Each structure stands twice: as C-alpha cells, then as structure tokens.
C-alpha cells in the first residue's frame, strides 16, 4: 500500500509540475505573440548591452515570432503530453540556458527586466532568476519521470494539434504586428486620457540625461554639465522619472519642438482631433507607407486638424534624410525613443487623439487612407 501511495504521489507531482511548466510557456509565448514588436525592442536592449554588433529589425522581428511560437508550442505539448520524452528533454535544455542567462543578467545587470512576459508582468532580475530556478527544478522532475505524464491524444490527433498550434500562434502574431496588440497592457492604450494622466503626476521629478556620440562612443551628460565640443553629435535627451514609476508611466509623455521648448501641453490640451505621426528613428522607418502618411498630413491640413510628427532623431541630417526620401512637408518634434515605441507599435505609427484621449492607433502596415479617415472621424464625432 505504501509503495502505491508513493507512486500515486509521484505521478501527481510530475503532472502538477508539467501543468505549471505548460501554463508558464503558453502564457509567455502568447504575450510575445500578442506584442512581437515589444519583444524586438527588448532584444535590442539585450544586444545593445551585451554585444558590439547590431541586427536588423526585420531579423529581430522574425526571432520574436519564432520565440513566441517555440514557447507556446512547447507549452501545448507539455499540456497535452505530446512527445513526452522529447518535449521534456527540450524543456530541460531550454530552462538550463535561460537560467544561466539570468544568472549573468543578475550579476551584470545589462537590462532592468528580462521581458519574459512582456508588459503584462514585469519582473525584477532577481525574481526572474528565482522563477527560472523553480521552473528548472520542475523540468528536471518531469524529464526524470516523463513516462508518468498523462497523454490526451493518440498519434493521429497529435499532428493535428501541432498544426493548429502553429497556424494559430503565427497568424495571431502577424495580426498583432499589422493591427497593434489585441491586448494592450501599456500605459498608452486606447481610451487613455493623457491630459488627466499627465496632470495627475505633474509634480513627478525627472533626471535629465543628454546623450552624445562620437566614433562609436557614447557620452551621457546631465542638464548641469557643459556641452561637449563640436566633434560630438547630439543623439537624444532622456527624462527618467525618479522613484517608483509603476503608476506614473504616462508622465514619460514629453515633447519638445526644434528649439527645445516644451510643447506637451500644446498637444494634450488641443480641442478636437489631433494626429500624432510617431517615427522613433527616421533612418530606419518604413518608406513604403509614405504615400499614406502624406495623405494623412494633407487631410489634416485640409480639415484644420492638428498634426505633429514625433521622433527621437534629433540630428538635422536624419530629418533631412526623411524629408528628401518622402517629400515630407511637416516639421519634427522631439521625444524620447522608448516612450515613442511604447505609445504605438510601428515605424512609423499613427495615433489619433480627441481632447487628449487616445481613440485610435495604426501601424505602418495599416495606415488609413482619406476615405477611412473621413469614416473614422465621422464615427467618433
């Protein structure tokens, strides 16, 4: 009787661990598929902090989608007990690699959070390491006793489950790339009243960092420091909120004109509709959608609607590059790059405000034409 009880207990433990791993991987894979471009930005943070090379956004986007597919599929296989030994082996290998990576992150601290669960659940590096150690232990147990995992499907249905998983997660990721994340956990989601959000935290203090670059080297100065000599190129100005910023994320919304004057209130306090064309990096933006961009701009001019182009590309050469290649007739306003990437996923992206409230977003893949703009503004009137 004792041996049967032990065997039953071990079976229960293995399957509880399997379900824990399955839930974690399904959740992690889904949130990455929900916001592939957000994962791209996190991968860029890793590369910038840990490597001397750079990779194209297209390549990183492919990596983000593949990572989402891998984690989600692994979770589905664990959930339904498909290919039990192979799945358990891959899980252990993956968790070993992730745990070792997290150990390095905790020691070197190249990024503030791992990005495992996107913007849905932000963990500190220490919490991520603890989480990975627990998952590694459960993965080892599942691998050691993989035969105790319960199977739910026969051989014929396993391939169908795998095929449906592949199609669904890739299709969902592509949709979110084109049309913005379906589930938006960022502080700039549709319906956010930026006037109230910024006004409620108007006393928030910031640390200003001014970034210059020369010959691949970066120079970071405070507002009190003297400007460097003319051989250094200005890159951007960062405003870093002091203290706990979990509830103050929207205070990051700060825009300057070409002369360095704060125009945030001009944008947020404008009555009626205001369009924000957001281009984090003018050199890397998608030039294939410029006809739609120019059509939006012409529409705003014809109908006396506010239009602002926000970018972190402060150098005149970058701005001239975009104007020459696109025929842009609008002026450029400066904002912090990460804030712009958080507001809308797209390069460029378009945001529609009404009385300071975000009511619509578009990526560079689904920018509206004049007919769609007329319909959108008529519906929201």
């Amino acid at each position: 009787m004792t041996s049967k009880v032990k065997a039953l207990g071990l079976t229960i433990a293995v399957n509880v661990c399997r379900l824990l791993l399955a839930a974690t991987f399904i959740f992690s894979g889904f949130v990455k598929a929900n916001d592939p471009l957000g994962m791209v930005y996190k991968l860029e943070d890793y590369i910038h902090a840990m490597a001397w090379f750079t990779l194209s956004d297209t390549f990183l986007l492919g990596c983000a989608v593949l990572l989402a597919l891998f984690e989600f599929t692994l979770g589905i296989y664990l959930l339904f007990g498909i290919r039990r030994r192979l799945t358990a082996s891959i899980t252990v290998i993956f968790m070993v690699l992730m745990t070792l990576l997290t150990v390095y992150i905790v020691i070197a601290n190249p990024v503030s959070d791992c990005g495992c669960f996107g913007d849905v659940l932000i963990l500190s590096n220490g919490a991520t390491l603890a989480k990975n150690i627990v998952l590694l232990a459960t993965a080892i147990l599942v691998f050691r006793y993989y035969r105790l995992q319960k199977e739910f499907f026969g051989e014929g249905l396993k391939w169908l489950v795998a095929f449906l998983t592949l199609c669904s997660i890739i299709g969902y990721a592509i949709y979110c790339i084109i049309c913005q994340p379906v589930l938006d956990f960022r502080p700039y989601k549709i319906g956010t009243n930026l006037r109230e959000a910024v006004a409620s935290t108007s006393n928030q203090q910031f640390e200003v960092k001014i970034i210059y670059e020369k010959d691949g080297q970066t120079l970071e100065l405070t507002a009190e420091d003297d400007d460097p000599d003319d051989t250094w190129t200005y890159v951007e100005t960062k405003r870093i909120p002091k203290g706990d910023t979990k509830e103050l994320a929207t205070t990051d919304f700060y825009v300057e004109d070409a002369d360095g004057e704060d125009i945030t209130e001009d944008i947020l306090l404008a009555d009626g509709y205001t369009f924000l064309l957001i281009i984090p990096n003018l050199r890397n933006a998608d030039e294939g959608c410029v006809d739609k961009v120019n059509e939006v701009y012409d529409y705003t001019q014809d109908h006396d609607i506010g239009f602002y182009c926000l970018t972190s590309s402060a150098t005149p050469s970058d701005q001239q590059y975009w104007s020459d290649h696109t025929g842009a007739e609008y002026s450029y306003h400066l904002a912090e790059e990460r804030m712009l990437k958080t507001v809308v996923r797209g390069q460029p992206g378009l945001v529609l405000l009404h009385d300071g409230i975000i009511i619509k977003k578009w990526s560079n893949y689904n920018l509206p034409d004049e007919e769609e703009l007329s319909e959108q503004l008529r519906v929201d009137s």
Side-chain angles (χ1 to χ4, degrees), residues 33 65-66 69 165-175:
V65 174
L66 288 177
L69 174 64
T165 300
L166 174 71
C167 293
S168 61
I169 202 66
I170 290 181
Y172 183 71
I174 292 174
Y175 178 85

Side-chain angles (χ1 to χ4, degrees), residues 107-127:
I107 295 173
N109 195 34
V111 294
S112 58
D113 69 274
C114 70
C116 305
F117 304 124
D119 294 309
V120 181
L121 180 61
I122 298 176
L123 300 176
S124 66
N125 291 334

